[in-house]
Amino acid sequence: MNSVPAATEEVASLCSDLIRFDTSNFGPAGSKGEREAAEYVAARLDEVGISSTLLESAPRRTSLVAEWAPEGCDTSLPPLLIHGHTDVVPAVASDWQVDPFAGEIVDGHVWGRGAVDMKDFDAIILAVVRERMRAGRAPRRPVRLVFTADEEAGGPLGATWLANTHPELVADCSEAIGEVGGFSLSVKDKRLYLIQTAEKGLAWLDLIADGTAGHGSMRNDDNAITSLAQAVSAVGSYTWPVRLHPAQRQFLDAVEDALGVEVNAGDAETTLARLGSIARMVGATMSNTANPTMLEAGYKHNVIPGRATAGIDGRFLPGYEQEFYDTISRLIGDRVRYEVSISEVAVETTFDGDLVDAMSASLRTQDPDAVPVPFIMSGGTDAKAWSRLGVRCFGFAPLRLPPELDFVALFHGIDERVPVESLQFGCRVLDDFLDRA
């Protein structure tokens, strides 16, 4: 009789398999591979007796929902939502040292697009659930497993669609864990484990300037491009006021304790630069932000167009959404207007309660020197959709990382990779967590 592999023994191969599904999400231009990835996850769950439901918001834009409530779990407790997404941002193979969709294991790392965002945690979930089912070890309470499509485009065809059209699949869950959080950050002789308790809201805006079309050789006092350029420059060069969210303050307190120096909130990135690229993330969560990302106008050198447009990636802190929109209106002036392309709420919860205690205890069980701290995420996750249904959301995808690995830079980056030992650590922490959560 063949021995059954433990979670730590198969997690790297599961991660590699998932990376081999090219699930690149091109936003409005569509996606690919999400159906195949969802079918793979369903097959791995089915092998251990867990049935899944596949749902499609559009052809081949496939999300998966599975109920894991084996005999022995306390069904009087509300389900815990554990969620991941299968789509990834695109990758240009010629930029990489390895094929981004080959899932190669090189130098103790699993390489490929999605290795840290977020097929690593997808694999950890699968590996732990499979081992526990084979061993007959139930979680403390029922678990709802959800793997979504379209997270990398804001989730309108994934989590948002599920929450809007099938809320009953998630609404009975009281709490959730998913990306981004639970990873270690080495600060001098301390290891902080960043647990996400908040994330900024999303406002993708289209700036629109209308003017008078005409011949390029003529004077024109109503040039749409000129008006738009002034608005874009004003938005792009604006310095937003510092706003310290409670999670940010707790994170900075932990960093100050580890570094032995005070972090000036107005110039945090300078002090935090020694921590690597996470300084940029911290800086981005000290205020609202708005970055011009696209420009479109005209079709010929000698024709003044009647319209010019620009794209803005806006992010606002919890509690500062109105300030964001009021500031944008003031900056762009009267000759330019904005339309909201995609808007998502900011998400926040507090760093306390039984689930936080369970996460902290599980980390310390595997790393006695772990210092769990909250942090606020500059980007967005599927937690936005679940939070609208009343689910309390945390970013907790545990990884103990080598100090020299610039982990944050690998999100959407070239040569994305995750250490195999980190995946195995994540399996052990999640396994322990399921007994406590």
Side-chain angles (χ1 to χ4, degrees):
M1 182 177 179
N2 293 330
S3 62
V4 176
T8 53
E9 294 173 328
E10 72 167 355
V11 65
S13 62
L14 289 170
C15 187
S16 292
D17 287 350
L18 287 165
I19 288 170
R20 292 186 189 108
F21 294 100
D22 181 354
T23 53
S24 297
N25 189 338
F26 299 94
S31 181
K32 58 182 178 179
E34 290 167 325
R35 176 79 193 188
E36 288 79 6
E39 289 174 344
Y40 173 87
V41 173
R44 300 293 79 75
L45 293 174
D46 185 65
E47 286 176 352
V48 294
I50 299 175
S51 60
S52 305
T53 300
L54 300 183
L55 303 106
E56 291 193 335
S57 55
R60 305 187 63 76
R61 306 308 300 271
T62 313
S63 296
L64 176 152
V65 179
E67 180 76 22
W68 182 34
E71 184 178 351
C73 71
D74 187 348
T75 55
S76 69
L77 297 173
L80 172 69
L81 172 60
I82 301 181
H83 62 99
H85 63 84
T86 60
D87 65 319
V88 298
V89 296
V92 179
S94 59
D95 294 336
W96 288 55
Q97 297 181 51
V98 301
D99 183 336
F101 297 106
E104 293 185 41
I105 300 177
V106 181
D107 297 331
H109 293 66
V110 182
W111 292 63
R113 176 60 83 218
V116 302
D117 186 12
M118 62 167 298
K119 292 179 177 178
D120 55 344
F121 192 50
D122 293 343
I124 289 170
I125 297 168
L126 282 176
V128 171
V129 171
R130 282 161 60 84
E131 179 183 345
R132 292 181 73 104
M133 281 295 290
R134 285 164 168 160
R137 296 170 51 231
R140 190 176 81 90
R141 59 164 150 162
V143 172
R144 193 72 40 77
L145 300 171
V146 178
F147 294 82
T148 61
D150 201 40
E151 191 276 343
E152 295 294 358
L157 298 178
T160 300
W161 177 81
L162 277 176
N164 289 340
T165 61
H166 299 282
E168 73 284 353
L169 296 177
V170 173
D172 59 334
C173 298
S174 58
E175 297 162 313
I177 62 167
E179 62 172 358
V180 172
F183 60 92
S184 67
L185 173 66
S186 295
V187 183
K188 296 182 73 172
D189 58 347
K190 294 189 177 182
R191 270 188 305 280
L192 310 183
Y193 283 84
L194 280 55
I195 297 174
Q196 181 185 324
T197 60
E199 61 183 56
K200 297 175 79 172
L202 174 68
W204 287 351
L205 308 179
D206 295 321
L207 302 190
I208 303 166
D210 292 310
T212 302
H215 198 288
S217 66
M218 302 292 182
R219 292 178 177 174
N220 189 313
D221 296 328
D222 189 29
N223 189 313
I225 292 179
T226 302
S227 299
L228 181 72
Q230 292 170 345
V232 168
S233 178
V235 171
S237 59
Y238 180 68
T239 300
W240 294 81
V242 171
R243 307 289 189 220
L244 273 188
H245 186 273
Q248 186 78 292
R249 183 66 266 172
Q250 288 176 275
F251 170 77
L252 292 178
D253 287 345
V255 170
E256 287 179 342
D257 181 62
L259 289 176
V261 298
E262 183 177 350
V263 178
N264 185 333
D267 189 27
E269 290 181 75
T270 300
T271 306
L272 299 178
R274 70 185 77 180
L275 304 182
S277 62
I278 198 170
R280 297 198 304 274
M281 180 189 292
V282 174
T285 53
M286 304 285 268
S287 68
N288 292 342
T289 58
N291 284 306
T293 55
M294 295 185 293
L295 287 170
E296 185 175 358
Y299 58 89
K300 200 169 185 289
H301 278 75
N302 62 348
V303 178
I304 298 171
R307 171 168 291 188
T309 62
I312 301 292
D313 183 342
R315 313 281 173 142
F316 51 85
L317 291 165
Y320 292 95
E321 180 175 4
Q322 191 59 52
E323 178 185 75
F324 172 83
Y325 285 110
D326 289 347
T327 302
I328 291 293
S329 296
R330 175 173 57 81
L331 291 173
I332 64 177
D334 297 333
R335 301 185 68 174
V336 177
R337 69 183 191 277
Y338 73 80
E339 294 180 356
V340 179
S341 175
I342 294 179
S343 177
E344 287 288 353
V345 297
V347 177
E348 62 179 331
T349 188
T350 52
F351 191 61
D352 55 25
D354 292 343
L355 202 71
V356 170
D357 292 343
M359 288 185 278
S360 300
S362 297
L363 286 167
R364 293 191 183 106
T365 296
Q366 300 303 318
D367 182 358
D369 296 325
V371 181
V373 295
F375 87 112
I376 180 170
M377 174 70 174
S378 59
T381 73
D382 282 341
K384 296 185 184 302
W386 317 138
S387 69
R388 286 199 295 269
L389 298 176
V391 182
R392 188 182 184 209
C393 297
F394 295 90
F396 184 64
L399 297 170
R400 178 173 171 173
L401 300 167
E404 68 276 7
L405 183 67
D406 192 353
F407 184 66
V408 173
L410 297 177
F411 281 84
H412 298 187
I414 295 170
D415 292 335
E416 186 178 349
R417 61 197 182 276
V418 62
V420 173
E421 289 184 353
S422 299
L423 293 172
Q424 294 170 336
F425 174 85
C427 287
R428 293 191 293 271
V429 172
L430 182 61
D431 182 68
D432 184 86
F433 171 76
L434 289 170
D435 289 330
R436 305 172 185 268

